[in-house]
Amino acid sequence: MSNRALIVEGGAMRGIFAAGVLDAFLEQNHNPYDFVVGVSAGASNLLGYLAQAPNRSYHIITQLATSKDFYNPRRFLAGGHLVDVKWLYEESNRQFPIDHHLVFNSVPFIAAATNVSNGLPDYYEVTHENIAKALEATASLPLAYKETPCFDEGCYTDGGVADSIPVREAYRRGARDITVILSHPLSYEMPKPKAGWLMKKMFVKHPNVGHALTKRSQNYNESLDFIKNPPNDCVIRVITPPEDFPVQRLTMKKELLDSGYQMGVDEGKKHVYHLRGEHVYQQDECPFC
């Protein structure tokens, strides 16, 4: 049987969609994967999934990620974090503790982060020993988070800088049946940065991170192309928000987040029902499922 992988994109508050999809998977007892890969908020969502903790990611996003302790523009203007990733991880564990035995005795959990020394993606297995730093590193938004998490001889920033959708890495690792949860509708393509020179100027201390940001849209769109045109020996299944998905990266309104979450639940259920032969996708619903 082909190795099966699950990839979950990040996207800040847009991660509420993946939270809904994964909760639907838990409700349907759907976990056929040999390994999972998460980026930024996608890794946090996967933690709740592997811990078999329904609604955990929903509560983290709607209660904690909307808090001023996490997102605080005034603090940022005063020289602090715009988003305090470490606080979010620690407070999530305090308010919504998980069973680490379930997490680390399921399937390999891979997170992606961008190495600040070379601007390239590193893919590391999340373990009991490195989980705090690993989850902090994958979500450490450049400039918005002032610390640079370091572990295992590397220092990192957000994984979405170098590889937002690690579908090609999953294929490289042997996966031939890949499910991808995206945070944008499938019609989305990332536009080229309008001021690449500014990116480089803002990252004088870490020039390779600035260079990676100038190439981010190219890498992102190449991943989308891989999804839409996979190798002949690979099947890629895609779960995406609908075109009217109302959540943006910094959406804080609970009614919009609730709507986005429910869209994820609905799409997650349809995906499982489709695999069971209980629902047939129309071509316009999901051309790559």
Side-chain angles (χ1 to χ4, degrees), residues 2 26 34 36 55 59 87 100 102 104 120-121 152 158 164 170 174 220 231 236 248 259 279-280:
S2 301
L26 288 173
D34 297 300
V36 301
N55 298 314
H59 290 310
W87 175 87
H100 284 81
L102 285 175
F104 298 117
L120 298 176
D152 291 348
D158 191 286
S164 296
Y220 189 95
I236 299 182
Q248 303 301 316
S259 175
H279 172 83
V280 178

Side-chain angles (χ1 to χ4, degrees), residues 103-177:
V103 174
F104 298 117
N105 286 274
S106 53
V107 297
F109 176 16
I110 311 298
T114 303
N115 194 307
V116 299
S117 67
N118 57 25
L120 298 176
D122 277 0
Y123 311 93
Y124 46 81
E125 184 167 353
V126 179
T127 66
H128 191 274
E129 290 72 31
N130 73 13
I131 183 171
K133 283 293 184 183
L135 271 292
E136 180 187 3
T138 187
S140 297
L141 287 169
L143 301 180
Y145 186 63
K146 300 297 184 180
E147 296 179 23
T148 304
C150 300
F151 67 99
D152 291 348
E153 301 182 358
C155 295
Y156 298 98
T157 190
D158 191 286
V161 172
D163 192 0
S164 296
I165 315 170
V167 63
R168 289 170 290 180
E169 175 64 14
Y171 182 82
R172 190 190 69 79
R173 289 173 178 252
R176 295 298 181 267
D177 187 330

